[in-house]
Amino acid sequence: MSQNVSAVIVTFNRLALLKEVIESLQTQDIKLSHIIVVDNNSKSDTQEYLTSLGNQIEYVRLPENIGGAGGFNKGVRYFMEHTTDDFVWLMDDDTVVHPDTLTELLKFADKQDQFGFLSSDVRWTDGHRALMNQPAPMNRLKVIPEDQVEPVQLQNATFVSLLMKREVVKKIGLPITEFFIWGDDIEYTERAGRVAPGYFVPSAKVTHKMAENVGSSLLNDNENRTPRYFYSYRNKRYYAKKRDFYRRNRALLRMWAEYFQIKFSNTERKQEKLDIFKKGFEAGKTFNPIIEFADDLKEK
């Protein structure tokens, strides 16, 4: 199988981390064909640094911040319309890949040609699983242990070291810009999983350099982040509608369980949090964004 791979990083004002991510990509055991950096209108220091790299990267600077979802939409579009590479490798600007990460993903791709997506084993800086990126097996009652060796089929995955084939992108289209933040990767990988199974590849490890190893929770998150949860619940309700009867209703029950957990808790700013939940959940009822498709440079 061909090993032509484009990496796509979406960044916004995290220059120190971004430098480390780019360096880790440049020192892969398998050389990347393209490193595409989508800049969500970061400050001038990021722009100056990325410009200084010249032809080491493909620099896509956006005129405004359209969120992580919009950034990945533009990055995957660039991959399709400006390269002829066979794979796209998606990651955030705090995802430090290991020298053999891509080798391990492509090794699995050689064995299992039919796949919708491949997801890495995402660890935090202390070596334990990143809680934000826990792998989601088909049986959600099971937890994939940290010492897992064999690949496992997944329901979905995050954009923290995610490999996809060009032909899958061509079939399913692009990530949904209107998601802005949260859930764009879950929706996109579930869309891909309807074409072919997605897999967790435990030998392909990366380090997710989040400030803290915590999951997202409206109940416990800080005041500045509370408004963002509008997108979380709106987007969850949208992609829950695309699932089968059992998984759709399970997702809805889980959301309402979170609502009542907040309602009967002693959390600060309780009413604000409940209002954000209700606003996002209600918006998700009619939220129906258009899925965009990119032209394929290979066909020109």
Side-chain angles (χ1 to χ4, degrees):
M1 181 181 289
S2 170
Q3 295 184 331
N4 295 325
V5 181
S6 285
V8 170
I9 315 164
V10 176
T11 190
F12 180 65
N13 288 332
R14 293 200 287 193
L15 180 56
L17 283 167
L18 176 63
K19 287 181 177 180
E20 191 173 356
V21 174
I22 291 174
E23 181 179 351
S24 73
L25 289 171
Q26 291 175 324
T27 55
Q28 283 295 286
D29 291 343
I30 293 177
K31 183 177 175 59
L32 287 158
S33 298
H34 299 89
I35 298 174
I36 302 163
V37 183
V38 181
D39 176 9
N40 252 322
N41 202 242
S42 298
K43 294 176 182 177
S44 59
D45 58 346
T46 298
Q47 183 178 15
E48 289 166 4
Y49 167 70
L50 292 173
T51 302
S52 74
L53 294 179
N55 61 11
Q56 295 180 55
I57 65 166
E58 307 286 320
Y59 182 22
V60 182
R61 181 170 171 84
L62 304 180
E64 61 180 331
N65 180 6
I66 56 175
F72 282 111
N73 173 287
K74 298 297 185 186
V76 177
R77 180 182 290 280
Y78 189 97
F79 157 74
M80 291 294 290
E81 297 183 349
H82 294 270
T83 84
T84 58
D85 293 341
D86 300 293
F87 299 93
V88 61
W89 189 17
L90 306 175
M91 64 198 67
D92 288 332
D93 60 359
D94 56 359
T95 306
V96 178
V97 299
H98 299 188
D100 65 345
T101 305
L102 183 57
T103 301
E104 293 299 323
L105 289 170
L106 291 175
K107 192 184 297 182
F108 180 82
D110 276 338
K111 295 177 184 175
Q112 180 69 43
D113 181 56
Q114 296 302 311
F115 63 86
F117 62 87
L118 301 182
S119 176
S120 283
D121 187 351
V122 184
R123 303 297 178 114
W124 194 51
T125 54
D126 66 356
H128 290 293
R129 278 268 167 74
L131 296 178
M132 190 74 77
N133 313 107
Q134 287 280 17
M138 299 305 290
N139 182 352
R140 291 307 301 270
L141 297 177
K142 292 187 177 181
V143 175
I144 298 175
E146 290 198 351
D147 61 354
Q148 179 73 25
V149 174
E150 295 300 319
V152 178
Q153 186 177 345
L154 298 182
Q155 293 186 18
N156 51 51
T158 65
F159 286 159
V160 179
S161 185
L162 185 93
L163 190 77
M164 296 183 70
K165 291 197 288 188
R166 185 183 200 92
E167 62 195 63
V168 172
V169 174
K170 184 177 177 180
K171 287 179 182 177
I172 70 171
L174 306 175
I176 298 173
T177 297
E178 287 83 355
F179 267 46
F180 191 67
I181 55 170
W182 268 334
D184 50 310
D185 42 12
I186 302 302
E187 186 280 331
Y188 195 57
T189 51
E190 290 191 3
R191 211 189 314 164
R194 290 191 278 271
V195 171
Y199 295 94
F200 170 71
V201 184
S203 59
K205 289 182 170 56
V206 301
T207 303
H208 194 187
K209 291 201 167 183
M210 302 176 294
E212 296 178 279
N213 191 16
V214 295
S216 59
S217 165
L218 176 57
L219 176 67
N220 298 316
D221 217 333
N222 65 55
E223 183 176 358
N224 293 334
R225 289 172 56 85
T226 297
R228 299 184 182 189
Y229 282 85
F230 164 80
Y231 299 104
S232 175
Y233 291 107
R234 182 197 64 177
N235 298 346
K236 280 180 182 178
R237 189 164 188 189
Y238 167 80
Y239 61 72
K241 291 185 289 188
K242 306 298 181 181
R243 295 172 172 172
D244 61 41
F245 178 83
Y246 170 73
R247 293 184 62 224
R248 178 172 66 251
N249 285 287
R250 187 182 65 185
L252 294 173
L253 286 172
R254 188 182 295 120
M255 282 187 269
W256 279 113
E258 292 176 22
Y259 175 85
F260 285 109
Q261 183 183 22
I262 296 167
K263 187 176 179 66
F264 295 112
S265 72
N266 293 318
T267 186
E268 297 178 353
R269 298 174 288 105
K270 180 187 293 188
Q271 193 56 52
E272 178 189 358
K273 293 175 181 179
L274 293 174
D275 289 345
I276 285 290
F277 174 95
K278 288 187 284 188
K279 185 178 178 183
F281 190 81
E282 183 63 23
K285 185 190 299 184
T286 56
F287 183 53
N288 191 30
I290 296 172
I291 293 175
E292 302 173 40
F293 288 79
D295 294 331
D296 188 351
L297 183 61
K298 271 196 168 183
E299 295 184 346
K300 292 187 176 181

